Amino acid sequence: MSDGGEDRLAPVIPLFGGKVARASDLATNGASDHDRPAAPRAVGSSGRGREQSRRKDAPAADASGSFDPDEAVAQAEEALVRKLRARSLSISEARQVLREKHLDATAVDDVIDRFCERGYLDDGLLAEHLVISGVERKGQGRVALSRSLAQRGIPRDVIEAALGDLPDDDAERALEFARTKAGSLSRLDFDTALRRLVGQLARRGYGGSVAMTAARTALTEASLGGPSGVRFVDSE
């Protein structure tokens, strides 16, 4: 190979610092694989990655290998912060995260108290946000809202307070939701459409007479060319 050809070879840039070497230098000097920069490894795909993963899940230990309570608390708080950055948590959900980090009941209570004082955990505020989201985005009624909040571990008194601020207009919200669904049922006979719409309303927390009245009203309006502007087929 000519000198001019070697001058055109691209430089090899070490990924972790060090002197920039030319490919021609490596060939001339007979550099071994040990001298060349290693390719970056994906997290978790190497022994180092697996070891880091184990360290996150294992109980904290000091240099002697014995359990270190202070380090355990620090690791648990870091884990909780990571969870809170992804989504809001109820106090009950936060407790579960801390228990998984091998903290005793006293340490868990201390961390929860600190996070509540800082405003990172607030069941009342979380419940209000979930109620607003459930009503505005999902068209949920009180039953469904109460159930979804309870599933998040929010206390009953907090749930009742959040729902207490909600206007008592389940019938109006149920009818509004039913009207949005009536058009998609227009190819069905009235009785079949009624059963399906009542079921949809029930799954959103509108039960009994509220669901039946809303469904019947919306479908009747649709069959008469009301707000949805559709008509239902005749029953066979």
Side-chain angles (χ1 to χ4, degrees), residues 187 189-190 233-236:
R187 289 182 294 179
D189 64 82
F190 189 91
V233 300
D234 295 331
S235 302
E236 295 180 358

Side-chain angles (χ1 to χ4, degrees), residues 154-199:
I154 297 176
R156 174 55 55 184
D157 60 327
V158 177
I159 293 174
E160 292 176 353
L163 294 177
D165 294 333
L166 190 67
D168 190 13
D169 56 358
D170 266 13
E172 182 178 342
R173 289 199 306 274
L175 179 56
E176 181 179 350
F177 174 82
R179 283 169 172 163
T180 66
K181 298 297 182 181
S184 63
L185 302 173
S186 60
R187 289 182 294 179
L188 304 174
D189 64 82
F190 189 91
D191 290 339
T192 302
L194 180 63
R195 287 196 301 272
R196 293 193 180 182
L197 188 49
V198 168

Side-chain angles (χ1 to χ4, degrees), residues 4-5 11 16 35 38-39 45 48 62 74 93 118 122 150 164 184 191 199 219:
F16 304 103
D35 297 322
S45 63
R48 181 181 178 184
D62 58 21
E93 291 168 333
R118 297 168 185 168
D122 187 329
S184 63
D191 290 339
L219 295 176

Side-chain angles (χ1 to χ4, degrees), residues 31-233:
S32 66
D33 291 338
H34 179 72
D35 297 322
R36 297 188 180 95
R41 296 175 178 176
V43 176
S45 63
S46 65
R48 181 181 178 184
R50 289 191 295 270
E51 178 64 21
Q52 290 175 341
S53 178
R54 284 195 296 268
R55 287 177 182 174
K56 289 180 181 180
D57 296 331
D62 58 21
S64 65
S66 59
F67 181 73
D68 185 344
D70 292 337
E71 181 63 22
V73 169
Q75 290 182 5
E77 287 186 341
E78 289 176 5
L80 184 53
V81 168
R82 287 195 297 271
K83 292 280 189 180
L84 288 168
R85 284 173 178 167
R87 67 190 289 257
S88 297
L89 299 177
S90 67
I91 292 175
S92 176
E93 291 168 333
R95 286 185 183 278
Q96 183 58 37
V97 172
L98 296 174
R99 292 191 190 103
E100 293 172 355
K101 298 303 176 181
H102 311 284
L103 298 189
D104 59 31
T106 300
V108 168
D109 288 342
D110 290 343
V111 173
I112 292 294
D113 288 344
R114 285 197 294 274
F115 275 59
C116 287
E117 290 172 359
R118 297 168 185 168
Y120 299 157
L121 296 171
D122 187 329
D123 277 354
L125 186 59
L126 176 60
E128 291 177 7
H129 288 168
L130 291 175
V131 167
I132 294 173
S133 176
V135 171
E136 295 183 351
R137 297 175 56 190
K138 302 178 183 178
Q140 292 179 320
R142 289 176 175 272
V143 174
L145 290 168
S146 179
R147 183 168 55 245
S148 65
L149 268 60
Q151 289 172 347
R152 298 288 300 271
I154 297 176
R156 174 55 55 184
D157 60 327
V158 177
I159 293 174
E160 292 176 353
L163 294 177
D165 294 333
L166 190 67
D168 190 13
D169 56 358
D170 266 13
E172 182 178 342
R173 289 199 306 274
L175 179 56
E176 181 179 350
F177 174 82
R179 283 169 172 163
T180 66
K181 298 297 182 181
S184 63
L185 302 173
S186 60
R187 289 182 294 179
L188 304 174
D189 64 82
F190 189 91
D191 290 339
T192 302
L194 180 63
R195 287 196 301 272
R196 293 193 180 182
L197 188 49
V198 168
Q200 292 178 10
L201 287 162
R203 286 191 291 273
R204 283 161 178 78
Y206 301 105
S209 61
V210 171
M212 178 60 71
T213 299
R216 189 176 293 279
T217 300
L219 295 176
T220 298
E221 290 176 349
S223 67
L224 296 175
S228 62
V230 298
R231 292 180 181 276
F232 289 86
V233 300

